[in-house]
């Protein structure tokens, strides 16, 4: 099993450009999350999904959109990138067996720089 | 309000010294507490959870409901313990979302 994978690993954008980050998981998990990680601020939840076809806003959703058309994939979109969106983005999935249900499994991260 | 507080952003100790990473929480129900670790340039991974009551890589953490704390401890630090540590909380019975602390960067000096 690959677990949680993210593409791309790195990306540099100019202000105003758009891009989509892809997260895929092969664990048949229902729940998926997008976080951003910034120095001194820990992990902040951007958007999440509790199942195929559903999405919800997290703590810092502005400037991002998401889609969960397939259970295994969770896409994060930036329509018009801003320098404030320079960050490391982590995807996570959750939904294992009863005793491990609350454990989140993380992808390797995407390092995004917006110039 | 549900909250996880890690009061130290940075903790630096010498190799062989004891380590204690503090985590305090605020939650009205019965929480499940976790410690996640992130080694340099790697993904976050679960280190331990209070329900398991196990020791991983020499680390232990005890849930103290009276003090609402879940401090992470290791008696003798090793250089490979240098990493970012996050404390997180989930309400037992809730079916999604972890509440995260801001993280503590642990540096083990040789």
């Amino acid at each position: 099993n690959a677990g949680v994978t993210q593409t791309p690993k790195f990306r540099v954008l100019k202000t105003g450009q758009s891009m989509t980050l892809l997260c895929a998981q092969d664990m048949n998990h229902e729940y998926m999350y997008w976080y951003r990680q910034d120095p001194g601020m820990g992990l902040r939840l951007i958007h999440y999904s509790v199942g195929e076809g559903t999405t919800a806003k997290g703590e810092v959703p502005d400037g991002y959109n998401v889609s969960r058309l397939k259970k295994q994939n969770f896409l994060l979109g930036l329509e018009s990138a801003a320098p404030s969106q320079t960050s490391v983005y982590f995807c996570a999935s959750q939904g294992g067996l009863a005793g491990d249900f609350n454990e989140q499994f993380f992808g390797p991260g995407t390092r995004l720089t917006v110039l | 309000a549900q909250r996880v507080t890690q009061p130290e952003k940075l903790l630096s100790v010498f190799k062989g010294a004891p380590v204690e990473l503090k985590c305090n929480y605020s939650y009205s129900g019965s929480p499940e507490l976790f410690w996640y670790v992130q080694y340099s340039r790697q993904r976050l991974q679960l280190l331990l959870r209070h329900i398991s009551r196990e020791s991983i890589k020499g680390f232990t953490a005890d849930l103290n409901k009276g003090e609402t704390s879940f401090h992470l401890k290791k008696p003798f630090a090793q250089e490979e313990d240098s990493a970012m540590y996050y404390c997180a909380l989930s309400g037992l019975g809730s079916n999604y979302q972890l509440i995260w602390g801001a993280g503590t960067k642990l540096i083990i000096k040789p």
Side-chain angles (χ1 to χ4, degrees):
Chain A
N1 288 350
V4 181
T5 59
Q6 292 180 232
T7 53
K9 288 187 169 55
F10 304 93
R11 186 72 185 268
V12 178
L13 291 178
K14 294 181 180 179
T15 297
Q17 287 185 316
S18 63
M19 77 164 294
T20 300
L21 284 69
L22 171 64
C23 176
Q25 52 96 3
D26 61 3
M27 295 174 282
N28 202 34
H29 285 169
E30 288 292 337
Y31 307 125
M32 296 186 75
Y33 306 85
W34 276 107
Y35 294 95
R36 57 178 291 172
Q37 183 184 45
D38 302 290
M41 304 192 75
L43 289 174
R44 291 185 292 171
L45 182 63
I46 304 171
H47 286 280
Y48 64 97
S49 169
V50 300
E52 181 180 314
T54 72
T55 63
K57 294 180 180 180
E59 180 186 357
V60 288
D62 294 342
Y64 305 95
N65 56 76
V66 288
S67 64
R68 183 100 181 267
L69 298 179
K70 293 183 178 180
K71 185 177 184 178
Q72 63 268 34
N73 295 337
F74 195 30
L75 279 62
L76 178 71
L78 286 73
E79 290 185 347
S80 180
S84 61
Q85 293 177 304
T86 294
S87 188
V88 180
Y89 292 85
F90 286 99
C91 175
S93 73
Q94 177 182 343
L97 298 176
D100 297 326
F101 192 85
N102 286 336
E103 180 180 352
Q104 289 188 9
F105 294 82
F106 283 81
T110 295
R111 190 171 294 271
L112 175 66
T113 301
V114 183
L115 303 175
Chain B
Q2 302 170 18
R3 189 185 302 121
V4 175
T5 303
Q6 294 179 251
E8 303 135 331
K9 286 189 176 181
L10 175 66
L11 184 63
S12 181
V13 301
F14 284 102
K15 177 182 172 181
V19 171
E20 183 179 48
L21 296 154
K22 290 185 169 52
C23 173
N24 293 92
Y25 67 90
S26 173
Y27 188 76
S28 58
S30 296
E32 183 174 7
L33 276 295
F34 303 82
W35 277 101
Y36 279 77
V37 62
Q38 184 183 25
Y39 300 103
S40 180
R41 300 278 176 156
Q42 294 187 27
R43 68 183 74 194
L44 279 88
Q45 56 187 290
L46 180 66
L47 180 62
L48 53 81
R49 57 203 304 170
H50 90 271
I51 285 179
S52 301
R53 294 186 156 273
E54 57 190 348
S55 173
I56 304 293
K57 298 185 178 183
F59 284 98
T60 59
D62 291 318
L63 179 61
N64 185 324
K65 292 186 178 181
E67 295 182 359
T68 59
S69 68
F70 188 56
H71 303 328
L72 183 69
K73 300 177 183 179
K74 185 170 183 177
F76 306 104
Q78 298 172 294
E79 288 187 66
E80 54 264 34
D81 296 329
S82 294
M84 193 75 180
Y85 291 81
Y86 289 96
C87 182
L89 173 156
S90 177
L92 287 175
S94 72
N95 56 8
Y96 53 83
Q97 289 202 45
L98 292 178
I99 301 166
W100 295 88
T104 298
K105 185 172 184 178
L106 177 63
I107 296 174
I108 306 301
K109 297 178 285 188

